[in-house]
């Protein structure tokens, strides 16, 4: 079904423009950083006068390239991302437009698969790894992460030759907060019944969040919200669904597409391509480094332990969005999200909110089976 929201075209048309912009920047000597995770603060990259582009892979065609070096039984996001880098660096023909634009990768110590992949990635492209405490709740963890962020700031200064000043950081924190506030506005509109936009459309927009420049992205979101506020949505009458779990990188829209084809109405996503990226703002009144460390350690990723805040957030979102069922999405072999499902399921059960667990890869061989299970789930909760 074609969307009636004209503003979505801004995001569709933005790809070529952004690639051209990044090429131009590189010709002028501006450094471009490739990232894979929410834990790497854009604010520090921009404060150093560099640009950034997301490298998370959602494509299937780069996976066979990765499987020549990596085990097959690891998460498809890792394989797809790694395959895109290897293919681009070894003169392959898959034409990833992102990798050739990148001077350096800034990676992060999150799940085991990513950490070990980054060690090999360094053979193809310079890779800096930001370390993370795994138990984020303590004072010690905060101090450690603060020192890691300062080290990262120094790395960016050496890369760009620019100083990461407190003023520049404050400016970037304000800018990133502005984006987050706009995303709150967008997601607030989705609480309506029926919501004025489909979940699969929001996902495609969110997949551009770390690809477009902040200005481009904000312009698009702002116009989209204006239009949504004055649009009478098509009648969408199916059960209200939340998707929770692993991120869905660009190219991967399989599960939301199936849910909507079957009549489900996706109203919110608890994921890194959903609320996790923007829900919490950075405190603008504190020392900027400390404020960044505090806020980034609050990201409720399943790589952290314990991760009570994620469980609480899911229950809270389910209530706020009047959700009738949660589709818990795990990428195949992602143990962190897969195991954490049990705690999420128990918490939701207490609130009488049913959960459907789907574990999948980027292929299409399980589409029919997922469709059957989604159908049965929607029928049960309708
Ligand atoms: S903050 S979710 S972007 S680590 S799906 S590669 S965890 S095996 S992507 Fe993530 Fe940062 Fe956390 Fe978000 Fe590993 Fe799981 Fe694969 Fe994952």
């Amino acid at each position: 079904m074609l969307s009636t929201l004209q503003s979505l075209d801004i995001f569709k048309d933005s790809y070529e423009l952004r690639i051209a912009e990044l090429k131009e920047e590189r010709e002028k000597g501006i450094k471009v950083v490739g990232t894979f995770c929410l834990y790497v603060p854009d604010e520090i990259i921009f404060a150093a006068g560099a640009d950034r582009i997301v490298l998370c892979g959602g494509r299937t065609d780069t996976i066979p390239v990765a499987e020549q070096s990596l085990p097959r039984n690891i998460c498809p996001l890792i394989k797809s991302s790694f395959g895109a880098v290897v293919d681009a660096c070894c003169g392959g023909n898959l034409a990833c437009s992102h990798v050739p634009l990148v001077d350096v990768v800034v990676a992060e110590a999150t799940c085991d698969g990513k950490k070990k992949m980054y060690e090999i990635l360094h053979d193809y492209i310079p890779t800096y790894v930001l370390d993370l405490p795994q138990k984020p709740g303590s004072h010690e963890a905060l101090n450690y992460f603060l020192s890691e962020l300062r080290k990262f700031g120094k790395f960016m200064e050496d890369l760009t030759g620019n100083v990461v000043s407190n003023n520049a950081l404050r400016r970037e924190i304000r800018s990133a907060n502005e984006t987050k506030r706009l995303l709150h506005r967008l997601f607030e509109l989705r609480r309506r019944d029926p919501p004025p936009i489909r979940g699969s459309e929001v996902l495609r927009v969110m997949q551009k969040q770390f690809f477009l420049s902040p200005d481009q992205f904000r312009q698009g979101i702002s116009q989209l919200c204006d239009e949504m506020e004055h649009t009478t949505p098509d009648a969408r009458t199916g059960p209200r669904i939340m998707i929770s779990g692993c991120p869905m990188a660009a190219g991967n829209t399989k599960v939301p597409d199936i849910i909507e084809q079957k009549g489900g109405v996706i109203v919110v996503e608890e994921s890194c391509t959903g609320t996790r990226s923007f829900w919490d703002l950075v405190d603008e009144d504190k020392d900027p480094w400390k404020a960044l460390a505090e806020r980034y350690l609050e990201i409720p990723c399943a790589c952290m332990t314990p991760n009570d805040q994620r469980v609480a957030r899911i229950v809270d979102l389910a209530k706020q969005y009047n959700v009738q069922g949660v589709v818990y999405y795990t990428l195949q072999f992602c143990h962190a999200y897969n195991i954490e499902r049990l705690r999420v399921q128990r918490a939701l059960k207490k609130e009488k909110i049913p959960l459907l667990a789907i574990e999948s890869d980027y292929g299409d061989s399980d589409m029919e089976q997922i469709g059957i299970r989604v159908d049965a789930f929607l029928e049960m909760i309708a």
Side-chain angles (χ1 to χ4, degrees):
M1 204 201 309
L2 287 176
S3 174
T4 47
L5 291 163
Q6 306 292 316
S7 321
L8 289 170
D9 291 345
I10 300 170
F11 295 94
K12 285 181 206 141
D13 300 341
S14 61
Y15 195 85
E16 297 303 328
L17 283 173
R18 177 62 170 155
I19 294 289
E21 181 185 53
L22 287 163
K23 277 186 187 156
E24 235 174 76
E25 285 180 354
R26 286 201 72 192
E27 278 161 18
K28 287 187 202 148
I30 294 172
K31 300 292 179 192
V32 178
V33 172
T35 59
F36 287 94
C37 178
L38 291 188
Y39 280 110
V40 177
D42 272 357
E43 291 92 335
I44 296 176
I45 297 172
F46 293 138
D51 207 337
R52 63 87 186 93
I53 185 172
V54 66
L55 293 179
C56 290
R59 296 166 60 161
T60 46
D61 58 350
T62 56
I63 288 182
V65 181
E67 286 179 345
Q68 289 171 21
S69 318
L70 301 178
R72 296 187 70 189
N73 59 345
I74 55 170
C75 143
L77 191 151
I78 297 174
K79 287 190 287 189
S80 175
S81 311
F82 180 77
V85 172
V86 173
D87 183 75
C89 295
C90 299
N93 56 8
L94 297 176
C96 172
S97 330
H98 297 203
V99 178
L101 295 169
V102 163
D103 291 286
V104 63
V105 163
V106 176
E108 75 313 316
T110 46
C111 68
D112 287 350
K114 268 177 154 185
K115 275 188 290 202
K116 302 316 282 183
M117 179 271 275
Y118 293 143
E119 291 172 12
I120 308 170
L121 196 76
H122 193 59
D123 296 340
Y124 297 90
I125 197 163
T127 303
Y128 177 93
V129 179
L130 176 74
D131 197 15
L132 290 166
Q134 304 286 293
K135 286 175 69 180
S138 69
H139 192 60
E140 290 80 2
L142 181 65
N143 282 341
Y144 178 68
F145 191 49
L146 186 55
S147 69
E148 272 298 298
L149 288 187
R150 286 191 186 277
K151 242 194 272 174
F152 171 45
K154 176 79 179 61
F155 170 82
M156 287 305 303
E157 289 184 342
D158 292 344
L159 180 76
T160 60
N162 299 323
V163 175
V164 179
S165 67
N166 279 2
N167 278 346
L169 260 190
R170 283 199 189 95
R171 181 192 67 222
E172 296 306 330
I173 287 171
R174 282 195 300 273
S175 159
N177 277 350
E178 204 183 318
T179 307
K180 292 181 178 79
R181 285 190 195 98
L182 274 173
L183 287 171
H184 271 281
R185 185 177 161 210
L186 170 66
F187 274 60
E188 185 62 32
L189 286 163
R190 300 177 71 194
R191 290 174 61 180
R192 291 183 181 171
D193 190 13
I197 188 166
R198 278 190 283 278
S200 56
E201 292 168 334
V202 175
L203 173 63
R204 285 176 172 86
V205 167
M206 293 300 285
Q207 287 172 336
K208 297 253 167 62
Q209 189 183 354
F210 301 103
F211 169 69
L212 298 181
S213 71
D215 280 346
Q216 270 178 314
F217 186 70
R218 277 196 294 263
Q219 227 176 33
I221 296 290
S222 180
Q223 287 191 32
L224 182 58
C225 290
D226 289 346
E227 190 181 351
M228 280 163 66
E229 267 165 9
H230 300 105
T231 304
T232 313
D234 312 334
R236 296 184 187 111
T237 52
R240 292 173 69 87
I241 299 294
M242 164 159 69
I243 299 182
S244 169
C246 292
M248 296 177 185
N252 174 22
T253 57
K254 180 164 82 174
V255 168
D257 287 342
I258 294 174
I259 294 170
E260 287 178 351
Q261 276 159 21
K262 297 292 177 187
V265 179
I266 302 164
V267 291
V268 63
E269 303 78 17
E270 187 280 323
S271 78
C272 291
T273 36
T275 53
R276 243 177 267 146
S277 69
F278 69 87
W279 207 255
D280 299 310
L281 274 65
V282 181
D283 191 328
E284 295 180 19
D285 300 323
K286 279 190 180 166
D287 165 74
W289 291 97
K290 190 161 184 238
L292 282 173
E294 284 175 352
R295 189 277 174 190
Y296 277 80
L297 275 191
E298 274 174 20
I299 296 171
C301 170
C303 295
M304 296 294 171
T305 186
N307 198 19
D308 300 344
Q309 61 215 38
R310 173 164 181 248
V311 181
R313 166 98 30 104
I314 292 168
V315 172
D316 186 42
L317 285 171
K319 289 180 183 168
Q320 278 191 42
Y321 283 80
N322 204 11
V323 160
Q324 290 162 267
V326 173
V327 172
Y328 193 94
Y329 174 73
T330 309
L331 281 170
Q332 215 173 34
F333 307 114
C334 174
H335 304 314
Y337 280 91
N338 211 356
I339 295 170
E340 199 159 275
R341 172 177 56 83
L342 193 65
R343 295 197 59 215
V344 172
Q345 193 159 17
R346 283 177 179 158
L348 287 171
K349 201 172 172 188
K350 278 192 196 148
E351 305 295 332
K352 300 194 178 9
I353 301 168
L355 176 147
L356 172 71
I358 293 179
E359 185 179 357
S360 185
D361 59 12
Y362 289 172
D364 52 15
S365 62
D366 58 358
M367 283 178 69
E368 201 182 323
Q369 189 222 0
I370 293 174
I372 293 168
R373 295 185 60 222
V374 168
D375 235 349
F377 184 66
L378 295 178
E379 207 180 297
M380 180 188 87
I381 62 179

